[in-house]
Amino acid sequence: MSKSAQSKAVVASSRPAGSRKPLIIDLALQGGGAHGAFTWGVLDRILEEDWLVVDAISGTSAGAMNAAVMASGYARDGRGGARQALERFWRKVSDAARFSPFQRSPIDVLLGRWTLDNSPLFVAMDMMSRVVSPYSLNVGSANPLEDILSEVIEFQALATGPIKLFVTATNVRTGRGRVFRNNEITPKVLLASSCLPTLFQAIEIDGDCYWDGGYSGNPTMTPLIRESDALDTILVQINPVERPGTPSTARDILNRLNEISFNAVLMKELRMMAMLRQRASPGSDDGARWAGMRIHRITSDKMAELGYSSKLNAEWDFLTMLHSEGRSSAEAFHRTHKDQIGKTSTMDLDELTEGI
């Protein structure tokens, strides 16, 4: 066990007799725009469990922002600081969105629908993004999220804090994912991890340009296997793996294609873990490591009810609804699986190898 993990376990063990023995875990956080508020709710609930000690987080896009905000707040003021930082971040995102041209239509507000599908400006943007490059619009690369990230995150605290952080962005030139670690993370890195190429110009870092990390790892699991002492990883998945029915409209088809592509790399990594676990040699260190990994997943059927356009909806009521759903889903997971964490996987990885 590393010194970092040992120190976190010692701190966590300073608790009343009879409480559960501390367990170090990793978190894997998916991206998904405003839907990342669901992850905020999950993290808010996990941080209430003193026996769960976070060693490392891998995040992409909104998942990367949640991870960086949480790790920074934790480095400053522990669990309470992490929870406060997350709420502050999402409130600032909502405040900035008040000036966004993408708002729900009056009929959607009246009917309580969170979609932007009937917003004239969203419809126009959606059509233009398929035929007009963000470079053609010459709008520059200004993003209000950059100022928010700079205000909320103390990057020096993040660089030296106790939680390891892995943020994925996709290198446009090579097509491969690059994983940025604590001391490399800046507002630009977080923006690169969430840069959708049809909406924003690529983010340049160290002479290379980057797009959304979801194309190469949403999130990337490998660093958690190689660089963390934890054997339990909780995956917070906000992009539905399955959806009932077959989409028939152009917008629904594109939405489903995006979901599949943004889950594809993650599912391949999980499938690889399952296959390596089945074939791992018990006598080797690497084999024991792969064979011993325990994967858990927190998600919600509610996410399958939400379409692509609602990822741009940052109304406070929507974000707090997702936060509440995330907390409820984490509570349900904890109630059902708390005795299995640290002992066995609660996500069936072997089913991913079926049909191969």
Side-chain angles (χ1 to χ4, degrees):
M1 181 182 291
S2 70
K3 290 182 178 180
S4 172
Q6 286 177 338
S7 64
K8 281 182 277 192
V10 169
V11 171
S13 63
S14 302
R15 63 192 70 251
S19 60
R20 183 161 178 176
K21 181 181 178 181
L23 175 73
I24 59 170
I25 63 168
D26 292 335
L27 298 172
L29 310 180
Q30 277 199 328
H35 293 183
F38 173 86
T39 302
W40 164 33
V42 172
L43 298 177
D44 195 43
R45 179 64 185 87
I46 287 176
L47 287 164
E48 292 179 346
E49 296 297 325
D50 289 347
W51 65 281
L52 294 176
V53 184
V54 179
D55 186 54
I57 310 175
S58 179
T60 296
S61 192
M65 295 182 188
N66 273 318
V69 170
M70 173 181 159
S72 169
Y74 189 95
R76 293 195 312 267
D77 299 305
R79 294 173 184 270
R83 295 180 68 192
Q84 291 173 9
L86 284 163
E87 180 173 358
R88 183 179 174 219
F89 169 72
W90 284 102
R91 192 172 288 277
K92 282 184 173 293
V93 168
S94 180
D95 289 344
R98 292 177 185 173
F99 307 103
S100 169
F102 306 125
Q103 303 289 340
R104 285 187 295 163
S105 69
I107 188 65
D108 287 325
V109 173
L110 182 64
L111 296 176
R113 298 186 300 217
W114 299 112
T115 180
L116 298 180
D117 287 352
N118 299 312
S119 165
L121 283 173
F122 172 79
V123 172
M125 180 277 295
D126 189 39
M127 294 179 64
M128 288 181 62
S129 67
R130 303 178 196 184
V131 294
V132 179
S133 161
Y135 294 88
S136 300
L137 298 176
N138 196 30
V139 295
S141 56
N143 189 323
L145 275 175
E146 185 167 6
D147 290 337
I148 294 173
L149 293 167
S150 297
E151 290 175 24
V152 176
I153 300 173
E154 290 186 17
F155 287 91
Q156 184 56 44
L158 184 67
T160 59
I163 297 178
K164 305 181 190 78
L165 205 58
F166 307 107
V167 171
T168 301
T170 303
N171 186 304
V172 180
R173 177 177 57 83
T174 66
R176 296 195 296 267
R178 173 178 171 181
V179 177
F180 296 84
R181 289 158 176 81
N182 294 58
N183 61 352
E184 301 174 298
I185 296 172
T186 64
K188 272 198 168 185
V189 167
L190 296 174
L191 291 179
S193 182
S194 60
C195 180
L196 291 172
T198 57
L199 299 180
F200 302 104
Q201 295 182 18
I203 305 295
E204 184 175 338
I205 301 172
D206 299 332
D208 270 318
C209 289
Y210 291 88
W211 283 339
D212 196 298
Y215 298 111
S216 52
N218 192 22
T220 303
M221 302 292 286
T222 305
L224 299 177
I225 307 295
R226 293 178 173 173
E227 301 179 42
S228 172
D229 294 296
L231 289 175
D232 288 78
T233 296
I234 298 177
L235 166 66
V236 184
Q237 194 160 24
I238 58 179
N239 290 300
V241 174
E242 297 185 10
R243 251 186 207 279
T246 301
S248 56
T249 68
R251 180 176 292 156
D252 288 344
I253 291 170
L254 286 173
N255 178 51
R256 188 60 184 142
L257 280 172
N258 284 331
E259 288 177 345
I260 292 172
S261 63
F262 271 46
N263 277 325
V265 180
L266 169 65
M267 300 310 291
K268 284 182 179 179
E269 278 196 296
L270 292 175
R271 189 178 297 118
M272 176 186 72
M273 290 171 63
M275 295 177 69
L276 287 172
R277 186 176 65 182
Q278 292 171 357
R279 293 164 174 76
S281 170
S284 68
D285 289 340
D286 284 346
R289 177 71 180 168
W290 285 104
M293 290 306 300
R294 298 180 287 263
I295 306 297
H296 316 277
R297 177 168 60 184
I298 298 177
T299 187
S300 169
D301 292 340
K302 181 72 176 180
M303 307 313 293
E305 299 174 11
L306 302 172
Y308 164 74
S309 68
S310 63
K311 292 181 179 181
L312 297 178
N313 182 356
E315 295 176 50
W316 184 243
D317 286 348
F318 182 52
L319 299 183
T320 53
M321 181 278 290
L322 288 171
H323 171 268
S324 178
E325 183 67 24
R327 276 191 62 90
S328 297
S329 298
E331 173 61 31
F333 171 83
H334 181 263
R335 188 169 55 248
T336 304
H337 298 299
K338 64 179 183 296
D339 293 331
Q340 295 169 278
I341 303 174
K343 297 178 182 179
T344 185
S345 290
T346 59
M347 180 180 179
D348 185 4
L349 295 182
D350 290 335
E351 71 175 2
L352 299 178
T353 64
E354 295 176 2
I356 296 179

